[in-house]
Amino acid sequence: MAKGMREIKRQIKSTQNTKQITRAMEMVSAANLRRAQRSAEAARPYSDKLKEVVQSIAAGSKGIKHPMLQSREVKKTGYLVITSDRGLAGGYNANVLRKVMTEIRENHKSTAEYSIFVIGRKGSNFFRKRNMPIVEEVTGVPDSPKFADIKSVASAAVKNFENGTYDQLFLVYNQFKNAITQIPTMIRLLPMEEVTGVAAASYEYEPSPEGVLEVLLPKYAETLIYSAVLEGKASEFGARMTAMNSATKNATKMISSYTLAYNRARQASITQEISEIVAGANANA
């Protein structure tokens, strides 16, 4: 009985230690989430306005030729997938990877038909284990990322579309709604969707609308990628905070269960000792 009680006490201690860790991780994630959420929300107006300007110029410049605006026969597809470097974030990585894998299985017969750009160690490890074609990757993105942290992969993804390496580029990431809800999202980044119903702004552009678009379109695509990275960071911290909160609650329940088992075992041990004392006293009477 004593051996069983010692084992239960070890389980209680171990679970208490785990609870302290998950609680600390929950608090750190909550602090990071507040910063990441502010960054993600601050980036949305800029990317929306840039999109509005690009669409306005394109709508007012009929016959303009730019590879980012022209649809072509799809022979090869690029995917830029945003994941995290660390785990313990619930379904954050699994959901976005499941989404891109479903798309690949349904639309491609071989690895020659697609290329992958990936941000985050979890995504990189996932695709490498499956021998899938990774063109470029970025890992070790800080908790408060700057554009410079992901510029190499963003620029490479855009340039590979421009030079015709593939014919469309999809961006796959978790869109942040709140700490509990993150939505796995896939959007066609390039070519830009056909512009309809957008009023052309009456501006004069120097040197020309085409020249302005030549500069703005790559920046527009890169800005959307960076905005998706910020959304992904906020989603990651929200998912991790929620996962650690659930883990802390589960640990609390387990501690209560172990404590109840310990008290019952202790009571049974005391009862047995009393019975042995009474039996010994009766034998000596």
Side-chain angles (χ1 to χ4, degrees):
M1 183 66 70
K3 183 178 179 181
M5 290 172 62
R6 284 196 297 269
E7 180 61 29
I8 294 173
K9 287 187 72 173
R10 280 195 293 269
Q11 289 176 327
I12 292 174
K13 182 62 176 177
S14 175
T15 307
Q16 286 174 336
N17 292 338
T18 300
K19 179 180 176 180
Q20 289 177 347
I21 294 171
T22 57
R23 178 59 179 159
M25 292 181 67
E26 179 187 351
M27 294 174 68
V28 170
S29 296
N32 287 332
L33 171 60
R34 287 191 289 271
R35 289 194 296 270
Q37 184 175 353
R38 285 195 297 267
S39 297
E41 291 173 347
R44 290 172 186 169
Y46 176 76
S47 59
D48 290 344
K49 190 64 178 179
L50 186 56
K51 180 178 181 179
E52 179 186 326
V53 170
V54 169
Q55 289 182 334
S56 176
I57 298 173
S61 307
K62 300 302 180 184
I64 192 169
K65 300 291 184 181
H66 193 284
M68 291 190 182
L69 298 174
Q70 295 177 334
S71 296
R72 51 192 185 238
E73 181 184 357
V74 177
K75 297 179 181 178
K76 191 169 184 177
T77 300
Y79 296 94
L80 198 161
V81 186
I82 299 172
T83 63
S84 69
D85 286 316
R86 303 186 300 272
L88 299 177
Y92 171 80
N93 290 301
N95 291 338
V96 76
L97 291 171
R98 186 181 304 113
K99 190 170 189 67
V100 71
M101 287 301 293
T102 299
E103 179 75 12
I104 288 172
R105 290 191 186 104
E106 290 179 353
N107 293 284
H108 305 294
K109 296 179 181 179
S110 73
T111 56
E113 296 181 355
Y114 65 91
S115 297
I116 296 174
F117 298 81
V118 61
I119 297 175
R121 190 168 285 105
K122 287 295 182 179
S124 174
N125 292 342
F126 177 88
F127 294 124
R128 288 193 182 282
K129 286 179 180 178
R130 289 158 180 78
N131 296 317
M132 300 175 75
I134 298 177
V135 177
E136 188 157 344
E137 64 184 271
V138 169
T139 59
V141 176
D143 291 340
S144 298
K146 305 297 183 185
F147 177 69
D149 297 317
I150 54 98
K151 178 177 174 57
S152 61
V153 70
S155 298
V158 173
K159 287 178 182 176
N160 273 269
F161 174 82
E162 284 189 276
N163 63 28
T165 301
Y166 41 76
D167 306 295
Q168 57 182 353
L169 174 64
F170 286 93
L171 181 60
V172 192
Y173 66 103
N174 276 294
Q175 182 183 8
F176 178 78
K177 286 296 182 183
N178 53 54
I180 300 175
T181 306
Q182 302 86 35
I183 303 174
T185 302
M186 177 180 292
I187 61 171
R188 194 183 77 176
L189 185 63
L190 296 172
M192 276 186 61
E193 300 291 344
E194 185 177 352
V195 180
T196 57
V198 176
S202 56
Y203 299 120
E204 291 187 4
Y205 299 97
E206 294 292 343
S208 66
E210 291 83 355
V212 174
L213 280 180
E214 191 73 30
V215 175
L216 279 187
L217 280 170
K219 290 187 180 298
Y220 162 72
E222 291 174 358
T223 297
L224 286 191
I225 293 170
Y226 177 55
S227 181
V229 170
L230 296 178
E231 293 274 341
K233 276 295 180 183
S235 297
E236 177 189 347
F237 293 131
R240 184 170 290 113
M241 185 184 74
T242 302
M244 293 301 100
N245 178 264
S246 296
T248 301
K249 289 180 178 177
N250 288 338
T252 300
K253 291 179 181 178
M254 289 177 66
I255 291 169
S256 297
S257 177
Y258 288 145
T259 301
L260 179 61
Y262 176 80
N263 289 338
R264 285 176 175 171
R266 184 169 179 271
Q267 183 177 9
S269 177
I270 293 171
T271 301
Q272 182 178 354
E273 289 177 4
I274 293 173
S275 298
E276 290 173 353
I277 292 171
V278 171
N282 291 336
N284 294 327

